[in-house]
Amino acid sequence: MTSSKKPDKYYAILEGALRVFAEHGYHKSQVSRIAKEAGVADGTIYLYFKKKEDILTSLFQEKLGELVVRFNEGINDQMTAKEALRKVCEIHFSELEANIPLAYVTQIELRQSDLGLRKEIGQALKRYIVFIENILEKGKQDGSFRADIDVKLLRLLIFGGMDEVVTSWLISGQKYSLTAQVGSTVDFFMRGIES
């Protein structure tokens, strides 16, 4: 979902950057290469972004924002907390399986960024983490999850668990279906939190 407030060139630059970062790595990627991939002049990039770091943080903000929108569209109030958590995992895995460059950038490049950049990207992740927290809180309130779970810790463990499954899938060369891992992943979480 792209916001109509930003011009098409902004999104073309982000998509170009995604492909370039995935292929060459963030640190080895040049702004001129991003411009070429995006089909814009080098100077056009600087109309939207001050520096390369801004492109990466904007990329995370946009892509994670799109994921949260998909979660909101895919989850409704009639779902149990377990069903909602399964849907989050399903969307997370299917989106990254369908967009391997995005998977590479989120799983590999993020870990190689400097601390300041990771903090900025962490802010973009916050909406995602809070979304998981709300599902856990719902399950705790309706009694489907144990009353003694630490929601703040568990939200990170769930996100981290899904993150590790995606990283392992990438490192393996995508030799198996990522979305086929949803059931086992969610079942693992449920063993620890269901009441």
Side-chain angles (χ1 to χ4, degrees), residues 156-175:
L156 298 175
L157 294 173
I158 288 173
F159 179 81
M162 290 190 300
D163 190 59
E164 187 56 38
V165 172
V166 176
T167 300
S168 297
W169 170 75
L170 277 175
I171 291 170
S172 79
Q174 306 97 55
K175 291 181 181 166

Side-chain angles (χ1 to χ4, degrees), residues 40-178:
V40 300
D42 292 11
T44 304
I45 297 226
Y46 295 104
L47 295 175
Y48 301 100
F49 306 98
K50 291 179 185 171
K51 53 191 187 250
K52 187 169 74 169
E53 290 87 350
D54 295 340
I55 300 173
L56 186 62
T57 55
S58 295
L59 186 58
F60 274 94
Q61 288 166 350
E62 291 291 336
K63 294 301 180 183
L64 291 171
E66 288 173 13
L67 267 180
V68 171
V69 166
R70 285 191 175 80
F71 295 154
N72 282 315
E73 290 171 350
I75 295 170
N76 60 57
D77 292 337
Q78 284 70 48
M79 285 182 162
T80 64
K82 180 179 179 178
E83 289 169 335
L85 202 55
R86 183 175 295 275
K87 193 66 169 173
V88 165
C89 188
E90 185 181 293
I91 291 169
H92 184 99
F93 287 2
S94 64
E95 289 294 318
L96 293 179
E97 188 170 37
N99 190 340
I100 293 172
L102 179 61
Y104 268 107
V105 172
T106 58
Q107 304 306 124
I108 309 299
E109 292 308 313
L110 176 58
R111 286 153 178 80
Q112 297 177 27
S113 303
D114 65 42
L115 183 61
L117 200 49
R118 282 199 308 263
K119 281 184 178 176
E120 281 191 52
I121 292 166
Q123 287 301 310
L125 270 175
K126 197 170 187 175
R127 284 175 52 203
Y128 190 157
I129 302 294
V130 167
F131 197 89
I132 294 171
E133 180 181 339
N134 291 339
I135 292 170
L136 295 171
E137 202 57 64
K138 176 183 177 181
K140 193 173 174 178
Q141 297 300 321
D142 70 18
S144 56
F145 296 163
R146 291 187 358 229
D148 64 343
I149 62 171
D150 179 343
V151 172
K152 300 279 187 203
L153 174 62
L154 195 55
R155 67 186 185 168
L156 298 175
L157 294 173
I158 288 173
F159 179 81
M162 290 190 300
D163 190 59
E164 187 56 38
V165 172
V166 176
T167 300
S168 297
W169 170 75
L170 277 175
I171 291 170
S172 79
Q174 306 97 55
K175 291 181 181 166
Y176 52 89
S177 166
L178 182 58

Side-chain angles (χ1 to χ4, degrees), residues 18-34:
L18 180 62
R19 292 187 295 273
V20 171
F21 292 159
E23 186 177 344
H24 302 285
Y26 169 75
H27 293 291
K28 292 181 182 174
S29 295
Q30 300 159 327
V31 171
S32 59
R33 193 178 299 217
I34 294 168

